[in-house]
Structure formats: structure tokens, C-alpha cells
């Protein structure tokens, strides 16, 4: 502590040797000044002069010097004032009491005055540090770059503690710590730094300190996580790192951490803004494309239909052609829809509008939407009555059911049923769509869900192989999974997708 | 079908206007056309049509603003034409006062069915609003709060009854989830769509022949519900 204060208060303080010399001089001066007064003053009052000297020494020079002054005063008083003068001998034995009291008073004064002085110095030092901390906090709050934070931290440590600091920040993947550029004179023991980073505790090593390496590693703990490590190397290997220094450094570390966290979130906010703008652009391109593709298709479907309205009626051949035009345009519309959906899902521009809902509703809506396409395939829906509500985007899951039902209708012979069933499997609900068609080619059921994949024996039937890929993308966006298999009992294929159950909301019972 | 009902089409694509006109004239309607929203609003004011068919994707502005303007002075039925994947636009348009929507591409048959339903409602509203609604084998007497299924009384809870009567009051009209939740459960429930879905499920269990494939209480996925008489 004494040494530490000397470092910073060198201008007001003297070295121990100077202190001793000054003390000796002060006592000698007192002796010289008091000698002419010997005839006029009582010895008791001369004792007072010496005690005053001790007090002054204690206040100005500190405890050790005051002790020295007490002893010197007693000796000088004895030699120069107490008869017989100029000898240590004492004529009157009662002077021994005087000496004892004088020494005791001197020592006590020395102790009290020096204590007071240390407290005052201590308070002053704390105030300076608080002021410095306050200043650096203000500067850190305005820091716009990591380099600035680094510079402020190093400057603070150098001026306040006469030490050298280095800032260690994690790399982008938070796998390792990297030293910031421009930290000369600090060699880092990286394993100690990692320990501090991983545990979030301050690490000290006396062993590396004697080698002149950085010996103190403070984690930069911010509210979310540890943002890095502040490493310190002290110039003086015997510098005492006391609890006050530590708490100062820890305060500094948390200020740096907060500043780093603020910078981090600023970066995040900026990049998410860029991302948002990109996504907005992408989705506006997609919806413009969607509009531009659908408009002519709408006209084609409608115009083909309106041929049947012509009076007098067109010949049957022409009406059949019109109907075929309608169907082809409708298929093209379906294809465009699938392609655009896939583009949206791949671009990541789909924001799920997840809501808790019963499964049966979206199944019913899908069956109704397909309408005529399912005319030759009765759909049997078998859902257990205790099926929980599921959280999903109804529009997207409707698309999954539509694609699966459409596939089944396309590949299963006419008038064979399609079955939809669901079962609870622990934390999942598995939903299966089964048909009685030709099933899937064995061994490549996983590949069916790749884009543009088509089963070889199905190439006679029109299709792009997008349907199942979209189903997969949608189900996976819901954190579910999907797979296909052939029925064990009879011919036919099944596609099963599973959605997580999650935590369905409670529906309050209605009071009757 | 009311004779010579006046229909205004606001749509920028001439070929789409052309077949809609052909389909509606075949139904016996008088058809007026407009290419832009601004023109459309003026035409709606001067011609006072019985039905407005409005494309949501017009280049000169937001169709929803037109609906709001229109609702300031008229309750004429509004049928929206919109591309798929625009559920939010549909919901906004319906909440602004539109009555129904068609998703592009649509067939002439669908168009005519929707137009007929909307015009029928216009001709029926006003004078002889009957308290009795019948659909399938269901008989609802709104004045006596009685619901019968094939002659047998059906017990509905108060909320179920409120939901049913709200749907029955707007036959053929799509009611958005927000509207239904606000009217039946109250404004603080507008985000709790699961209540609505569960109660519609209850109604279907009690009133539909096959609750998984309803014929009358229809889901408009992502938008809301519709009662189809």
C-alpha cells in the first residue's frame, strides 16, 4: 500500500531515505531552537516542543519517521537538556518517567497522526480513481469502435495503475480469443486468458508474473455473455494487487464489457436492418412476379370458360377444347404457385403465421380446395378425438395436405380411397396420408423429397417433382420431419409428417 | 337472380375485364368497367352499382382505401379479386368492409356463384328478414333461440350460439377471425384465434354431417369463416 501510494503521489512524497534525513533534521532543529530557551522555559515545556515536532513529522512524513522522531526526541532531550547535559546519564531518577511518558506520547501521536494522514490520502486516492472511472465511463459510452474501447482501457490502466493492459476478444465463432491489434509490451499466457473467458472469473498467476508476462486476467462479463478478457501486466513485479485495486479493475472490466455489448448490438441492429431490406426487396420481387404470372393465367382460365357462354353455343368439339384450355391453364397456375412457394421458402422470406388450431379444420379446407380433383377418390379422415391443438401456419399446412392429396389422386387408380390419419407419438403428432396406388419405388423414398425428384416409373404422369419438396420445406419450417414409405398390408404409398406438440394453450371451459 | 343488376368492375387487365363482363352479362347484369381506382370510385358514386368487383392489385393505389371511402356512404357488396399468398391483403380488405374474395385464377363458375350470392343477399336484406334460417337438416329459429337438427333439438352453449348467429347473419360473407373474436368474445380476445377454431369445431360436431368435411360452416384458410347456406 505504501509503495502503491508513493507511485502516484511521488510529487508530494519523499523517499524513505529523504524522510529519515528530514526527520533527523527536524529533531536537530528543534534541539537547536530550544537550547537558547533553556534558561527561560521549564523542561516540561521543552518536552512539549519535541512532542510538537513528533506530531509534525507524523503528519508530514508518516508513521515510521514519527517513531524515529519520538526516539530521537527522547535521546536529544536527555543529552542536551536533562542535567547533566551532554550525557545520557540522568541526575534525577524522575526524569525516567518523563522519558517514558514522552516516548509513549510521541509514539501514540505518531500512530494517530499517521493513521489520520493515511486515511486522508486514501480518501483522496479513491476520489481520484472514482473520478477517473467516471471519466472513462463517459468516454466508453461514446465509443464507436472496438479500437477506441481498447485505447481507452489501456490508457486508464496505464495512468491509474502504472500497468499495461491488452484486450482479448473472441473470434466471430466464439471459439477462441484474439488479441486486439496495437497492444505492445504485453505477452499473454493464452491458457489463463481462456480460463478467465470460459469461467467468467478473474484469474491471477504469481508464477507468470515474475517472468514479466501478463499476470491478471479479468473476464469482461456483460449481461448476455462474457465479451472478452482484459489482461494486465504490472511493471513492478512486487506491486500489491489488493482488493481495492481488484474492485477498481473489475468495475473497469464491466464498463468495457457494457461498451462492447452495446457495440455488438449496434452491429446486430444494423445488419438485421440490411437483412430486412433485402428480404423486403426479395419478397416484393416475388409478389410482383406472382402477380405478373397469375394475371395472364387468370385471363386464360376465364376466357376459356367464357367460350361456353357464346350464343348460339359453339360445337361440342370447340367446347371440349375450351375445357381442355381451362384445365391446362389451371395446371400451369398450380405449377406457378408451387414454384413461387418454393422460391419463397428457399429465399427464407416466409414468415410463418403460426396459430394454435385443430388439425381437422385444415384437412377439411384442403379437401374442399381440391374439389373436383378428388372426385374419384373418397377421402377418409380418421383423427383421434383427443388430438391436441397444433401450432402451425394454416395456409402452408393446407398446401402440404393439398400436395399430398393431389399426388395420391394422381397416382392411385380411380375410386380407391385416400386415408388421412393422425396419432400422438410422445411429443409429436404424426399425420399420415395413404393411398392405394402403386406406392413408391423401394430404396429411394428419401430422394423423393429433393427438388425436381420424380419416381422413375411415374414419369408418364405429369408433374414437376416440386410438390413433395415443398411439403418437406414447409414441414421443416415448422420444426417437423417428413418421410415416405410403402404400405405393408396392401399396395399403396404413405407419406407421414410429424409436427411437435409444444405447449398448447388452455381453452377455458364455458360456464353453462 | 335479380334482373338487370348493375355491376361495376374495377380491374386494370382488359382481358380479365372482358371475360368477367361476358360472364355477368350472360347472367343478365348490366356491367360497367373501370381501369383505375380513381375512376372506379367516381363510377361507383355516379352509377350506384349493386355490386363492385375490385382487383386488389391495381397499379394506381391501394384498393383497401377505395373500400374504406366507399363504406363511408354505401353498403353495396364488394367482391375482391386477389392473387394467392396475399392473406393479409384479403383480411385487411374484408376488415375494411369487403364482403367476399376470389383467388386468382378463378373459373367463371366460381365467379358467377359468388356474384349470385352477393346479389341475392342485397335483394333479400331490408324488408322480410326472417328469423328462421335453414341449411342441410338444420333449422335455426333466431327469435326463439332454438336450434334443431333433423327435428331433434340441439343444445348449444351461449358462446356457440352467439358464434352461430353471427355467422348466420351474414350468409355467404367471409367473416375474418378478428371480427368473429371481437364480436363473440370481446376486443381483448382478438389474438386468441384458438378459441374461435375450437368453438367452430364444436359447432361442426353438432351441426355438420361430416365435421371434417363441412358443407356449411366453411373455413377460409388463413382468413376466417363463411356460412354457406
Amino acid at each position: 500500500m505504501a509503495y502503491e501510494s508513493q507511485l502516484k503521489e511521488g510529487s508530494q512524497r519523499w523517499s524513505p531515505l529523504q524522510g529519515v534525513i528530514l526527520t533527523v533534521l527536524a529533531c536537530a532543529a528543534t534541539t537547536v531552537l530550544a537550547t537558547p530557551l533553556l534558561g527561560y522555559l521549564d523542561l516540561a515545556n521543552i518536552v512539549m516542543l519535541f512532542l510538537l515536532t513528533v506530531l509534525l513529522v507524523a503528519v508530514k512524513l508518516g508513521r515510521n519517521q514519527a517513531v524515529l522522531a519520538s526516539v530521537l526526541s527522547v535521546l536529544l532531550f536527555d543529552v542536551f537538556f536533562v542535567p547533566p547535559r551532554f550525557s545520557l546519564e540522568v541526575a534525577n531518577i524522575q526524569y525516567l518517567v518523563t522519558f517514558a511518558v514522552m516516548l509513549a506520547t510521541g509514539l501514540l501521536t505518531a500512530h494517530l497522526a499517521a493513521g489520520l494522514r493515511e486515511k486522508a490520502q486514501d480518501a483522496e486516492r479513491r476520489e481520484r480513481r472514482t473520478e477517473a472511472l467516471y471519466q472513462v465511463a463517459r468516454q466508453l459510452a461514446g465509443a464507436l469502435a472496438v479500437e477506441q474501447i481498447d485505447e481507452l482501457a489501456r490508457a486508464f490502466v496505464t495512468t491509474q495503475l502504472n500497468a499495461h493492459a491488452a484486450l482479448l476478444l473472441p473470434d466471430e465463432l466464439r471459439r477462441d480469443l484474439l488479441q486486439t491489434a496495437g497492444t505492445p509490451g504485453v505477452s499473454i499466457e493464452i491458457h489463463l486468458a481462456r480460463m478467465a473467458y470460459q469461467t467468467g472469473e478473474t484469474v491471477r498467476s504469481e508464477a507468470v508474473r515474475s517472468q514479466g508476462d501478463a499476470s491478471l486476467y479479468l473476464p469482461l462479463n456483460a449481461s448476455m455473455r462474457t465479451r472478452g478478457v482484459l489482461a494486465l501486466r504490472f511493471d513492478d513485479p512486487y506491486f500489491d494487487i489488493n482488493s481495492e485495486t481488484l474492485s477498481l479493475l473489475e468495475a473497469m472490466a464491466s464498463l468495457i464489457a457494457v461498451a462492447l455489448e452495446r457495440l455488438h448490438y449496434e452491429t446486430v441492429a444494423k445488419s438485421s436492418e440490411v437483412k430486412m431490406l433485402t428480404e423486403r426487396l426479395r419478397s416484393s420481387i416475388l409478389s410482383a412476379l406472382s402477380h405478373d404470372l397469375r394475371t395472364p393465367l387468370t385471363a386464360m382460365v376465364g376466357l376459356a370458360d367464357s367460350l361456353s357462354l357464346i350464343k348460339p353455343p359453339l360445337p361440342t368439339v370447340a367446347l371440349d377444347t375450351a375445357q381442355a384450355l381451362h384445365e391446362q391453364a389451371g395446371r400451369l397456375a398450380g405449377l406457378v404457385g408451387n414454384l413461387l412457394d418454393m422460391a419463397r421458402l428457399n429465399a427464407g422470406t416466409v414468415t410463418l403465421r403460426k396459430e394454435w388450431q385443430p388439425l381437422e379444420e385444415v384437412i377439411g379446407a384442403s379437401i374442399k380446395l381440391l374439389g373436383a380433383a378428388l372426385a374419384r377418390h373418397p377421402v377418409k379422415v380418421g383423427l383421434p378425438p383427443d388430438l391436441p391443438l397444433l401450432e402451425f401456419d394454416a395456409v402452408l399446412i393446407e398446401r402440404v395436405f393439398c400436395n399430398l392429396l393431389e399426388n395420391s389422386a394422381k397416382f392411385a387408380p380411380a375410386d380407391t380411397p385416400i386415408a388421412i390419419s393422425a396419432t400422438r407419438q410422445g411429443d409429436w403428432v404424426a399425420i399420415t396420408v395413404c393411398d392405394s396406388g402403386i406406392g413408391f419405388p423401394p430404396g429411394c423414398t428419401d430422394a423423393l423429397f429433393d427438388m425436381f425428384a420424380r419416381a422413375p416409373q411415374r414419369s408418364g404422369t405429369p408433374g414437376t417433382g416440386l410438390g413433395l419438396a415443398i411439403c418437406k420445406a414447409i414441414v421443416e419450417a415448422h420444426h417437423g420431419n417428413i418421410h415416405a414409405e410403402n404400405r405393408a398390408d396392401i399396395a399403396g404409398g404413405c407419406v407421414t409428417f410429424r409436427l411437435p406438440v409444444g405447449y398448447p394453450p388452455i381453452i377455458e371451459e364455458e360456464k353453462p | 337472380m335479380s334482373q338487370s343488376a348493375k355491376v361495376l368492375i374495377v380491374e386494370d387487365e382488359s382481358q380479365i375485364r372482358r371475360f368477367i363482363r361476358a360472364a355477368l352479362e350472360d347472367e343478365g347484369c348490366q356491367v360497367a368497367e373501370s381501369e383505375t381506382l380513381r375512376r372506379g370510385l367516381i363510377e361507383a358514386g355516379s352509377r350506384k352499382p349493386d355490386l363492385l368487383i375490385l382487383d386488389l392489385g391495381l397499379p394506381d393505389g391501394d384498393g383497401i382505401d377505395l373500400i374504406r371511402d366507399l363504406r363511408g356512404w354505401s353498403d353495396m357488396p364488394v367482391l375482391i379479386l386477389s392473387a394467392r399468398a396475399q392473406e393479409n391483403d384479403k383480411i385487411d380488405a374484408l376488415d375494411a368492409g369487403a364482403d367476399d374474395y376470389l383467388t386468382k385464377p378463378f373459373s367463371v363458375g366460381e365467379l358467377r356463384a359468388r356474384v349470385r350470392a352477393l346479389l341475392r343477399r342485397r335483394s333479400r336484406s331490408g324488408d322480410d328478414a326472417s328469423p328462421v334460417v335453414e341449411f342441410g337438416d338444420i333449422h335455426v329459429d333466431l327469435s326463439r333461440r332454438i336450434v334443431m337438427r333433423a327435428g331433434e333439438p340441439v343444445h348449444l352453449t351461449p358462446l356457440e350460439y352467439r358464434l352461430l348467429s353471427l355467422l348466420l347473419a351474414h350468409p355467404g360473407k367471409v367473416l375474418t377471425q378478428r371480427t368473429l373474436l371481437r364480436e363473440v368474445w370481446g376486443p381483448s380476445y382478438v389474438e386468441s384465434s384458438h378459441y374461435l377454431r375450437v368453438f367452430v369445431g364444436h359447432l361442426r360436431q353438432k351441426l355438420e354431417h361430416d365435421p371434417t368435411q363441412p358443407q356449411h360452416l366453411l373455413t377460409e384458410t388463413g382468413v376466417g369463416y363463411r356460412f354457406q347456406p
Side-chain angles (χ1 to χ4, degrees):
Chain A
M1 171 86 88
Y3 187 85
E4 183 191 349
S5 28
Q6 267 170 343
L7 274 174
K8 284 164 279 110
E9 291 143 24
S11 57
Q12 306 167 16
R13 288 291 310 255
W14 290 279
S15 73
L17 184 63
Q18 285 172 320
V20 170
I21 293 169
L22 281 171
T23 311
V24 173
L25 285 176
C27 292
T30 313
T31 312
V32 172
L33 281 173
T35 307
L37 303 173
L38 186 60
Y40 308 97
L41 293 179
D42 248 1
L43 278 182
N45 288 328
I46 289 175
V47 169
M48 289 303 157
L49 287 177
F50 275 103
L51 285 179
L52 179 66
T53 307
V54 172
L55 182 68
L56 286 174
V57 168
V59 169
K60 285 290 167 196
L61 299 175
R63 179 178 283 121
N64 296 344
Q65 281 76 3
V67 170
L68 176 67
S70 304
V71 175
L72 267 180
S73 297
V74 172
L75 286 175
L76 289 169
F77 179 67
D78 177 20
V79 172
F80 291 98
F81 298 93
V82 176
R85 293 181 64 194
F86 309 111
S87 101
L88 283 171
E89 283 167 37
V90 178
N92 193 336
I93 205 78
Q94 69 175 327
Y95 282 114
L96 289 179
V97 179
T98 312
F99 295 154
V101 171
M102 190 179 166
L103 188 63
T105 314
L107 289 177
L108 197 64
T109 311
H111 178 72
L112 289 176
L116 210 62
R117 177 176 168 276
E118 274 161 17
K119 262 188 204 142
Q121 280 176 351
D122 214 36
E124 203 181 316
R125 194 176 56 241
R126 276 173 209 262
E127 196 190 309
R128 269 205 305 278
R129 282 189 168 175
T130 312
E131 173 69 19
L133 206 57
Y134 168 69
Q135 291 288 352
V136 84
R138 226 174 40 184
Q139 287 167 326
L140 280 174
L144 298 171
V146 175
E147 291 72 32
Q148 230 173 322
I149 294 174
D150 184 36
E151 211 165 283
L152 286 168
R154 282 187 292 131
F156 177 83
V157 170
T158 309
T159 53
Q160 291 302 308
L161 298 170
N162 213 13
H164 294 284
L167 206 54
L168 294 154
L169 301 177
D171 59 11
E172 278 183 18
L173 297 169
R174 271 185 261 154
R175 279 188 313 222
D176 203 1
L177 288 167
L178 301 174
Q179 192 167 352
T180 52
T183 47
V186 184
S187 54
I188 305 292
E189 285 290 328
I190 193 70
H191 67 276
L192 295 178
R194 284 189 193 125
M195 198 194 294
Y197 180 65
Q198 277 151 14
T199 57
E201 306 277 337
T202 302
V203 174
R204 282 168 79 165
S205 167
E206 294 304 321
V208 298
R209 185 171 173 181
S210 52
Q211 299 163 16
D213 287 345
S215 60
L216 186 61
Y217 297 85
L218 292 137
L220 305 174
N221 293 326
S223 53
M224 295 303 289
R225 59 182 167 84
T226 304
R227 298 269 157 204
V229 171
L230 182 69
L232 280 100
R233 179 173 74 82
F234 295 92
D235 275 347
D236 173 29
Y238 305 105
F239 180 85
D240 174 35
I241 306 167
N242 56 28
S243 65
E244 194 204 326
T245 313
L246 264 184
S247 62
L248 175 79
L249 283 171
E250 274 159 9
M252 182 64 195
S254 62
L255 282 176
I256 297 171
V258 168
L260 286 172
E261 190 160 75
R262 178 176 57 78
L263 278 188
H264 170 75
Y265 283 117
E266 266 170 29
T267 320
V268 168
K270 230 174 262 169
S271 74
S272 72
E273 196 184 317
V274 170
K275 205 170 147 204
M276 197 188 71
L277 287 176
T278 319
E279 286 190 357
R280 198 180 290 167
L281 178 69
R282 210 182 264 163
S283 83
S284 72
I285 290 173
L286 279 173
S287 56
L289 197 62
S290 156
H291 177 262
D292 290 356
L293 287 171
R294 271 177 233 275
T295 303
L297 283 170
T298 308
M300 278 166 73
V301 170
L303 290 171
D305 281 354
S306 64
L307 285 176
S308 65
L309 305 174
I310 291 174
K311 307 262 165 47
L314 294 173
T316 322
V317 187
L319 288 180
D320 286 351
T321 311
Q323 181 58 31
L325 271 174
H326 175 121
E327 276 167 19
Q328 294 302 313
R331 260 183 50 203
L332 196 55
L335 185 59
V336 165
N338 266 341
L339 278 169
L340 288 173
D341 276 2
M342 200 67 213
R344 272 202 192 89
L345 287 165
N346 274 353
T349 57
V350 173
T351 35
L352 297 187
R353 285 179 47 204
K354 278 175 147 186
E355 284 173 352
W356 290 98
Q357 46 200 311
L359 198 61
E360 58 176 24
E361 182 162 90
V362 71
I363 294 175
S366 312
I367 294 171
K368 183 159 182 301
L369 198 69
L370 287 175
L374 290 175
R376 306 294 302 272
H377 295 88
V379 181
K380 284 184 193 159
V381 184
L383 301 179
D386 59 342
L387 203 64
L389 295 186
L390 291 173
E391 193 182 27
F392 55 83
D393 182 318
V395 176
L396 291 178
I397 293 296
E398 182 183 83
R399 173 131 286 237
V400 171
F401 277 112
C402 283
N403 282 345
L404 295 181
L405 289 171
E406 227 172 356
N407 264 354
S408 291
K410 209 151 50 179
F411 297 118
D415 301 317
T416 55
I418 300 172
I420 301 178
S421 58
T423 47
R424 172 96 187 242
Q425 298 176 347
D427 291 338
W428 298 85
V429 168
I431 303 122
T432 305
V433 177
C434 284
D435 61 43
S436 310
I438 47 179
F440 301 103
C444 65
T445 44
D446 285 342
L448 289 172
F449 295 97
D450 294 342
M451 242 196 279
F452 306 115
R454 304 204 52 221
Q457 81 261 38
R458 291 180 166 191
S459 42
T461 322
T464 51
L466 264 182
L468 286 179
I470 290 170
C471 292
K472 186 179 179 196
I474 293 172
V475 170
E476 284 177 354
H478 285 83
H479 309 292
N481 52 51
I482 188 165
H483 69 273
E485 64 201 348
N486 284 320
R487 294 171 81 153
D489 44 351
I490 53 167
C494 292
V495 175
T496 301
F497 65 96
R498 305 200 305 159
L499 296 176
V501 171
Y503 302 94
I506 311 281
I507 303 276
E508 292 153 32
E509 280 299 316
E510 200 184 339
K511 288 173 202 82
Chain B
M1 163 101 255
S2 68
Q3 286 305 302
S4 71
K6 287 181 286 182
V7 180
L8 174 63
I9 308 168
V10 184
E11 158 71 64
D12 59 332
E13 189 63 35
S14 64
Q15 294 303 324
I16 296 179
R17 287 202 306 273
R18 190 176 136 194
F19 87 77
I20 295 178
R21 172 188 276 277
L24 296 186
E25 282 178 349
D26 190 58
E27 286 276 308
C29 301
Q30 284 179 37
V31 180
E33 294 177 19
S34 156
E35 267 184 70
T36 61
L37 283 176
R38 193 185 311 192
R39 193 77 222 138
L41 192 59
I42 296 168
E43 295 268 334
S46 58
R47 288 177 188 268
K48 304 252 183 327
D50 300 308
L51 170 69
L52 176 67
I53 298 179
L54 172 65
D55 181 11
L56 270 192
L58 287 189
D60 72 321
D62 195 344
I64 290 159
D65 290 339
L66 186 147
I67 302 171
R68 288 207 185 96
D69 284 352
L70 191 72
R71 283 291 173 253
W73 51 269
S74 165
D75 60 353
M76 72 175 72
V78 175
L79 175 63
I80 295 295
L81 306 180
S82 89
R84 204 185 142 268
Q86 290 184 330
E87 265 70 29
N88 284 330
D89 292 357
K90 291 178 201 163
I91 293 170
D92 289 347
L94 291 167
D95 279 339
D99 294 82
D100 201 353
Y101 67 86
L102 268 176
T103 302
K104 289 181 182 178
F106 49 87
S107 71
V108 166
E110 282 175 277
L111 172 73
R112 295 217 285 202
R114 299 292 169 88
V115 168
R116 265 186 228 141
L118 288 172
L119 289 175
R120 195 163 51 226
R121 210 170 76 217
R122 173 194 62 103
S123 64
R124 200 181 45 191
S125 65
D127 39 308
D128 60 344
S130 158
V132 176
V133 183
E134 289 190 320
F135 57 94
D137 54 358
I138 306 295
H139 172 101
V140 183
D141 189 335
L142 293 168
S143 63
R144 293 160 59 203
R145 301 173 73 94
I146 288 176
V147 182
M148 309 275 275
R149 178 172 185 170
E152 295 289 310
V154 178
H155 174 73
L156 297 184
T157 67
L159 279 175
E160 286 168 3
Y161 183 80
R162 247 156 84 190
L163 180 59
L164 179 68
S165 58
L166 188 62
L167 284 164
L168 296 189
H170 303 277
K173 181 175 161 127
V174 180
L175 297 175
T176 60
Q177 290 180 14
R178 280 185 90 79
T179 307
L180 290 167
L181 284 163
R182 199 182 51 233
E183 297 293 322
V184 177
W185 278 269
S188 56
Y189 279 81
V190 286
E191 301 301 327
S192 315
S193 65
H194 50 278
Y195 276 87
L196 176 60
R197 296 179 198 275
V198 167
F199 275 77
V200 171
H202 292 172
L203 279 181
R204 285 182 180 146
Q205 294 286 347
K206 291 177 182 178
L207 305 178
E208 287 281 359
H209 181 66
D210 179 357
T212 59
Q213 297 181 43
Q215 301 300 313
H216 303 287
L217 304 174
L218 304 182
T219 308
E220 296 291 332
T221 305
V223 178
Y225 293 93
R226 177 210 302 273
F227 163 61
Q228 191 73 54

